[in-house]
Amino acid sequence: MMNWNALYDRLKTRVPALELRRDEPMSRHTSFQVGGPVPLLALPKNEDEVGQLLSAAVLEFGVRPFFMGRGTNLLVSDQGADLLVVKASDGLNRLELLEEGERPGHSTILAGSGVSLARLSGFALEHGLAGLEFAQGIPGSVGGGVYMNAGAYGGELGQVVSSVSSVSCPSEEFVREYVNPQFSYRRSQFQEEDDFILRACFSLKPGDPAEIKAKMEDFAARRREKQPLEYPSAGSTFKRPAPVDGQPVYAAALIDGCGLKGLSVGGAQVSEKHAGFIINRGGASCKDIMELMARVRERVFRETGVTLEPEVRCLGGEGEGWNF
């Protein structure tokens, strides 16, 4: 059984400035606003703290941490999880325009894993660089966004990421550099690696700032009009299904077509505004959300033959039985 007190004491000795929280409720760190406690949550402020943290936890104690960004795509068990969670906090916020672009005719922005995608896209706008307009309204971080290849409105981070730097478990000495990493729909090669993403470079083309801003404002207006932004959620709950007979298929349309808007379990509900969102209307538990997801999947499969795959990651007790 893991001695979390011993790990806490070792980390405070080795990395005195590292922010550590004991028995931290994960409801404070997920956009669903649900989730029980974890015995230890670390919020490193810089890359050196990440290396020191992993060295002590992995090499000395044999603990494999769970890495997270801003928790906008995460569902945590009501009982919590017996894990060391390492969160890319705002301290990992390096953001700069590099002097030389990595590709001809492009400019390169370097962003730390804790930088919000909203801040990153705003920075691109300030420098007249196009290609990140779609990311302005995605509530996640660079690290989490790269990990899952976040996207919206036809754009994905994988389209503009040119390189990624990560620190590898179990050795903090091994910083990997990935040039032109591999991405696919809502997937990246980092989902197969046991790494903590430190930073990423984005290769962008110069554009007209007025056109870039107008595009961002258009996307923002669409989000306000169509998405239930007033309620806690994890954005789109299910991934876009594979095409059927060569035609695109959308999870929200399937769910709506099955008459599931407004379906509720406890405090969890299929949004009446956008069927692709499961929302926390107040007091929802992880169990409520997972049961509602299961009901939606079962109904959609029964009526359409399409199996919906969750876009949300699950952590902790209930997730052990998550056979989606």
Side-chain angles (χ1 to χ4, degrees):
M1 185 173 181
M2 178 59 202
N3 187 334
W4 294 107
N5 289 330
L7 177 57
Y8 176 89
D9 291 341
R10 177 62 180 130
L11 289 173
K12 293 304 292 184
T13 299
R14 181 162 179 169
V15 199
L18 176 65
E19 182 177 357
L20 289 170
R21 301 183 187 178
R22 291 177 167 178
D23 299 319
E24 179 72 3
M26 291 301 291
S27 57
R28 298 176 181 173
H29 301 276
T30 62
S31 57
F32 261 130
Q33 297 181 12
V34 304
V38 294
L40 208 55
L41 177 80
L43 298 100
K45 295 180 290 299
N46 54 58
E47 295 181 6
D48 180 65
E49 287 189 356
V50 172
Q52 294 288 331
L53 162 64
L54 295 183
S55 178
V58 179
L59 298 181
E60 296 183 33
F61 284 80
V63 172
R64 292 289 177 143
F66 177 83
F67 302 135
M68 67 174 290
R70 291 176 175 254
T72 57
N73 200 46
L74 186 62
L75 183 58
V76 181
S77 165
D78 301 315
Q79 287 71 48
D82 194 37
L83 291 168
L84 163 64
V85 173
V86 180
K87 181 178 180 180
S89 68
D90 291 337
L92 294 162
N93 62 358
R94 182 181 175 189
L95 184 61
E96 60 184 272
L97 182 66
L98 300 183
E99 291 185 3
E100 296 184 7
E102 296 176 307
R103 298 170 181 169
H106 291 64
S107 294
T108 299
I109 293 176
L110 184 151
S113 61
V115 173
S116 73
L117 294 177
R119 183 179 170 217
L120 172 64
S121 60
F123 186 81
L125 169 61
E126 290 173 12
H127 290 84
L129 297 175
L132 280 168
E133 294 89 337
F134 70 90
Q136 188 271 338
I138 299 176
S141 63
V142 165
V146 168
Y147 179 88
M148 69 166 288
N149 190 19
Y153 299 110
E156 295 178 334
L157 291 185
Q159 297 168 349
V160 290
V161 171
S162 56
S163 63
V164 174
S165 300
S166 66
V167 62
S168 173
C169 289
S171 174
E172 85 285 0
E173 301 296 332
F174 185 18
V175 176
R176 304 189 191 195
E177 303 290 344
Y178 297 88
V179 178
N180 297 323
Q182 300 301 303
F183 295 93
S184 58
Y185 176 67
R186 296 299 177 269
R187 289 196 65 81
S188 74
Q189 68 182 83
F190 303 102
Q191 294 175 19
E192 313 302 326
E193 307 288 348
D194 195 15
D195 286 11
F196 181 91
I197 294 173
L198 296 171
R199 67 193 99 93
C201 285
F202 299 83
S203 186
L204 307 171
K205 290 184 177 181
D208 181 345
E211 292 182 3
I212 296 170
K213 183 177 181 181
K215 197 171 184 179
M216 292 171 69
E217 289 176 345
D218 176 55
F219 288 155
R222 289 197 230 174
R223 285 186 172 96
R224 289 192 298 270
E225 177 186 357
K226 298 180 180 180
Q227 298 180 7
L229 303 180
E230 65 274 26
Y231 292 104
S233 77
S236 296
T237 307
F238 299 99
K239 296 179 181 179
R240 184 178 65 235
V244 175
D245 297 328
Q247 298 300 312
V249 179
Y250 299 96
L254 293 175
I255 296 168
D256 192 10
C258 291
L260 295 174
K261 273 187 176 179
L263 179 67
S264 299
V265 173
Q269 182 187 61
V270 177
S271 170
E272 296 174 317
K273 191 174 185 180
H274 190 307
F277 284 59
I278 286 180
I279 59 175
N280 180 355
R281 286 188 57 89
S285 65
C286 176
K287 185 177 180 181
D288 292 340
I289 295 168
M290 292 195 68
E291 183 175 339
L292 182 55
M293 289 173 66
R295 290 187 187 182
V296 168
R297 291 183 81 245
E298 189 278 330
R299 178 82 167 269
V300 169
F301 179 75
R302 176 157 45 90
E303 296 194 12
T304 72
V306 176
T307 299
L308 296 179
E309 182 181 351
E311 189 167 308
V312 181
R313 302 171 69 195
C314 188
L315 182 67
E318 287 93 336
E320 294 175 5
W322 192 347
N323 296 317
F324 291 174

